[in-house]
Amino acid sequence: MMQLTKEQQEIYDGKQGETLAKVMKTLVKYGEVFGAEKMVPVTGKHNHLVTSFGLKALGPVYDLMNRLIEAGNLSKQTFSADPRPLDKNVPANFLQNFIFNHFMYSRQDFYEDQLNKLGLMEKDAFTCTCYMDEVGNKPQKGDVLSWAESSAVVYANSVLGARCNRNSGIMDIMGSVVGYVPYFGLLTDEGRKASWIIEIKTTKKPEAQLLGSAIGMKVMEDVPYVVGLDKWLGTELNDEACTYLKDFGAATASNGAVGLYHIENLTPEAVESGKALVNENARTYVIDDAELERVYKNYPVVWKNPDAKPKLCFMGCPHMSLQQLKDWTDKVEKSLKEAGNKKVLIPTVFTAAPAVLKAFEQTEYAPRLKATGVITSYICPLMYMNNPLSGKMPVITSSNKLRTYTTAKYYTDDEILQQITKGGNV
Amino acid sequence: MKTFQGRVIASGNVTAQAVVSHEGLNTLASFQKALQFGDKTATCGDQNNPDLYGKQMAGKALCLPQTIGSTTGGLVLYCACSMNRQPACMLFSKPIDSLAAAGAILADVWLENVSMPVIDSLGDDFLQYVKDGMQITVDENGTVTVSD
């Protein structure tokens, strides 16, 4: 049974208004389902919301947001939100544009106005990688959060050492409106212990998106403790390691439901506590080259014509880092030169946070990437793909999250590079 | 006929025909088309779910292990309830996940005149026993009766 403080009880009883009472009741009920005995303050500086899209079908969500706004129950923290679903820079045919703008996302402006009223950090704070330095929503170790967006939650918990459950949309903003979240699951020390040991025994650095997928599908919502990955990533959370973990984590969270992972000798809690984080009866999953190959080969082919020529390539789900954009500029240039080509052979979109793209534009890499024909965008590839028209398009990606939720076909980074610069099937 | 006892997440009494997913239900992928394109029967649109793809979910007793997928899951379920396209009840063999719980609780607290009893922890036996088309009766105390 939940024990509320005097202030929390007063809110629950309606002394600060009927709407805020409903918000508190929602969170208390939510916590009770998972055995929470108390509500704890949200201590992170900013929140992050998963719902960024003015999808016509989500009318009831906008009605609920209106109730909060009209009652003056705004977010106590400013927040970022997931990427926008529309960007005119991204190739789309006439029919797609018509459906996107006049049918599916016809409430985009209306919803962005609601977000501004509720407490959006700034007008372009739309990205799934809000924790990038350029964006400025990077929690501190130990911060209690009320975030949603599975890839951001798993990154905040694992790489930054913040504490956040895998919240649903709407639950995310309720936590920052009332300022409290129920104390259970990944907020607790016990809930952060691992029930799986993952032994990495590959002969080369495993592909981040493939490794994350394998682990996610095996452990589902459990916490894995990964041994042997430091051999490939090192023991310092530098830019390269963080980028790897961003993509790895997104795959664990979307192919399974992982909210937290520990990497031995690398992520903060694993460095601090080591194997003390592992539960006594933890199971073991060994990953070698053959296991990754098995996972890759087992992905279902959902294209009508499996040999169709790709019409679009998306990179950046979750959004790319500044260093990733620079590295890929070098890689695309080099590979095009080797093949004697000047521009990419498949329309290709690299996605990143608006603030990261702004920083990228100030580097000498931006004109070089543009010269290869690659388009940069802040769009959410998932939202672009989530409709019957785009669903029929043969789209390729190295994002395992995009593969999971849409009809996009997954290839490794090297295979993607080959296809967009040299053509042909891999 | 067989009876199973679970935990009440959202209470209510209802009788409906079963539709069964042996895999996790991807809420966004399953409901998005129905919400977007005015399908009142809420036909499951998740091509990756062979058990449910193309079947009606609205008004049915939806039997499943857990929900999976995007953290929009809870709000999608809330929208389905608000638009009266929700299952008659949701019956989980495992303890409910945070996304489905959010959807069920949001609907329970914020919507009036909407009923979707939700019971969890019914056990693996429940999901092995129940088949599409069987009649399900849910009692507000969490008892689920499955009739052949």
Side-chain angles (χ1 to χ4, degrees):
Chain A
M1 189 67 188
M2 188 83 81
Q3 296 292 314
L4 299 181
T5 64
K6 185 166 176 268
E7 187 217 357
Q8 290 165 353
Q9 189 66 51
E10 283 178 358
I11 296 172
Y12 189 95
D13 292 340
K15 292 202 172 142
Q16 293 189 33
E18 190 192 333
T19 306
L20 200 61
K22 272 184 185 280
V23 172
M24 185 60 105
K25 272 176 195 159
T26 304
L27 290 166
V28 166
K29 276 193 165 207
Y30 177 54
E32 282 176 345
V33 167
F34 298 99
E37 293 179 352
K38 61 179 177 179
M39 302 287 287
V40 292
V42 176
T43 59
K45 193 173 173 192
H46 305 289
N47 198 355
H48 181 80
L49 312 188
V50 67
T51 323
S52 60
F53 38 90
L55 196 61
K56 193 179 168 190
L58 298 185
V61 172
Y62 314 132
D63 294 344
L64 201 157
M65 295 294 188
N66 255 348
R67 289 170 76 174
L68 296 176
I69 293 167
E70 281 168 9
N73 297 134
L74 308 180
S75 176
K76 289 189 166 66
Q77 311 161 289
T78 55
F79 54 80
S80 47
D82 262 13
R84 288 181 168 118
L86 299 168
D87 180 1
K88 59 180 171 22
N89 287 335
V90 177
N93 62 32
F94 176 79
L95 195 54
Q96 280 174 311
N97 272 326
F98 181 78
I99 287 186
F100 289 158
N101 289 300
H102 298 282
F103 193 63
M104 282 185 74
Y105 299 116
S106 57
R107 301 194 74 182
Q108 189 63 27
D109 290 343
F110 170 82
Y111 183 54
E112 285 192 23
D113 184 51
Q114 283 194 322
L115 291 179
N116 274 315
K117 287 176 181 157
L118 283 162
L120 188 68
M121 282 169 72
E122 56 101 13
K123 70 176 178 52
D124 286 328
F126 289 100
T127 177
C128 47
T129 56
C130 58
Y131 43 80
M132 293 285 170
D133 289 336
E134 296 84 356
V135 182
N137 184 1
K138 190 173 191 171
Q140 303 289 309
K141 185 167 182 292
D143 277 353
V144 172
L145 310 176
S146 180
W147 287 16
E149 168 51 46
S150 63
S151 69
V153 168
V154 74
Y155 189 92
N157 274 321
S158 312
V159 181
L160 303 176
R163 295 194 169 213
C164 186
N165 279 314
R166 264 173 67 89
N167 298 302
S168 168
I170 305 187
M171 276 306 176
D172 47 15
I173 194 153
M174 294 212 165
S176 63
V177 163
V178 81
Y180 297 100
V181 284
Y183 185 69
F184 71 92
L186 297 175
L187 265 53
T188 69
D189 289 342
E190 201 51 38
R192 296 178 78 84
K193 288 202 166 171
S195 48
W196 283 90
I197 293 179
I198 314 293
E199 293 181 5
I200 308 296
K201 294 189 171 173
T202 54
T203 58
K204 58 180 182 180
K205 184 179 178 179
E207 191 86 5
Q209 301 263 6
L210 204 48
L211 180 64
S213 162
I215 294 174
M217 287 196 278
K218 176 64 77 176
V219 312
M220 292 311 291
E221 73 274 28
D222 289 343
V223 177
Y225 183 92
V226 184
V227 178
L229 194 56
D230 52 331
K231 177 181 170 185
W232 304 107
L233 300 186
T235 56
E236 190 195 336
L237 277 174
N238 54 24
D239 205 83
E240 193 183 344
C242 287
T243 297
Y244 184 99
L245 294 177
K246 162 181 78 77
D247 292 337
F248 163 83
T252 65
S254 56
N255 285 234
V258 174
L260 164 69
Y261 56 80
H262 301 294
I263 311 289
E264 193 166 60
N265 298 323
L266 185 60
T267 52
E269 284 157 78
V271 168
E272 265 176 24
S273 308
K275 286 206 171 68
L277 288 169
V278 181
N279 281 327
E280 246 177 44
N281 299 323
R283 288 174 282 178
T284 300
Y285 175 37
V286 177
I287 295 184
D288 55 15
D289 298 341
E291 176 61 1
L292 287 183
E293 185 68 12
R294 183 194 67 78
V295 169
Y296 189 10
K297 295 283 183 225
N298 275 338
Y299 292 147
V301 178
V302 291
W303 287 4
K304 225 171 204 173
N305 171 11
D307 300 319
K309 185 175 161 30
K311 281 197 173 164
L312 191 63
C313 170
F314 267 123
M315 295 283 290
C317 175
H319 276 169
M320 293 168 90
S321 67
L322 181 59
Q323 192 58 48
Q324 257 179 320
L325 286 170
K326 290 178 180 176
D327 291 345
W328 271 88
T329 303
D330 286 335
K331 284 203 267 191
V332 171
E333 268 183 347
K334 185 169 173 270
S335 190
L336 281 174
K337 201 173 169 188
E338 283 168 5
N341 291 324
K342 286 212 159 53
K343 297 218 178 240
V344 287
L345 306 176
I346 298 167
T348 299
V349 182
F350 287 179
T351 62
V356 170
L357 289 176
K358 203 171 165 187
F360 182 66
E361 285 303 318
Q362 286 160 7
T363 70
E364 48 103 9
Y365 289 86
R368 285 169 49 199
L369 185 64
K370 198 172 180 186
T372 68
V374 170
I375 297 158
T376 55
S377 169
Y378 51 72
I379 201 171
C380 174
L382 217 152
M383 289 296 123
Y384 176 97
M385 291 290 296
N386 245 336
N387 67 84
L389 279 180
S390 302
K392 284 178 186 158
M393 270 173 79
V395 174
I396 59 170
T397 182
S398 70
S399 162
N400 228 319
K401 179 171 183 171
L402 198 60
R403 176 198 71 79
T404 304
Y405 293 148
T406 74
T407 54
K409 196 169 178 180
Y410 170 82
Y411 289 99
T412 64
D413 281 349
D414 286 347
E415 289 167 343
I416 288 282
L417 184 64
Q418 181 172 329
Q419 290 211 50
I420 63 175
T421 59
K422 299 177 178 171
N425 290 324
V426 289
Chain B
M1 189 173 81
K2 207 165 172 181
T3 301
F4 300 87
Q5 182 65 44
R7 176 178 66 148
V8 178
I9 304 295
S11 70
N13 300 297
V14 72
T15 297
Q17 263 190 348
V19 283
V20 184
S21 173
H22 291 92
E23 298 171 13
L25 177 93
N26 186 323
T27 311
L28 176 65
S30 299
F31 279 95
Q32 190 188 347
K33 257 192 199 170
L35 300 186
Q36 188 75 44
F37 299 104
D39 169 15
K40 288 182 181 167
T41 62
T43 305
C44 176
D46 183 7
Q47 294 184 55
N48 290 314
N49 188 334
D51 286 345
L52 275 191
Y53 181 61
K55 291 181 185 167
Q56 175 178 339
M57 297 183 292
K60 301 285 184 180
L62 184 55
C63 307
L64 68 166
Q66 280 187 320
T67 70
I68 57 170
S70 162
T71 47
T72 55
L75 68 91
V76 168
L77 205 50
Y78 171 76
C79 286
C81 290
S82 179
M83 295 159 92
N84 208 22
R85 286 171 205 173
Q86 77 277 25
C89 57
M90 290 181 79
L91 306 174
F92 294 85
S93 63
K94 294 184 182 299
I96 197 168
D97 56 281
S98 61
L99 304 180
I105 291 164
L106 285 167
D108 196 34
V109 175
W110 291 84
L111 298 175
E112 284 163 21
N113 305 321
V114 170
S115 171
M116 184 180 70
V118 178
I119 312 291
D120 81 346
S121 304
L122 286 159
D124 293 342
D125 288 357
F126 165 71
L127 214 51
Q128 278 165 17
Y129 183 79
V130 69
K131 304 279 181 296
D132 277 2
M134 286 179 165
Q135 183 169 289
I136 305 267
T137 302
V138 177
D139 187 273
E140 61 187 3
N141 68 5
T143 305
V144 174
T145 306
V146 183
S147 309
D148 293 347

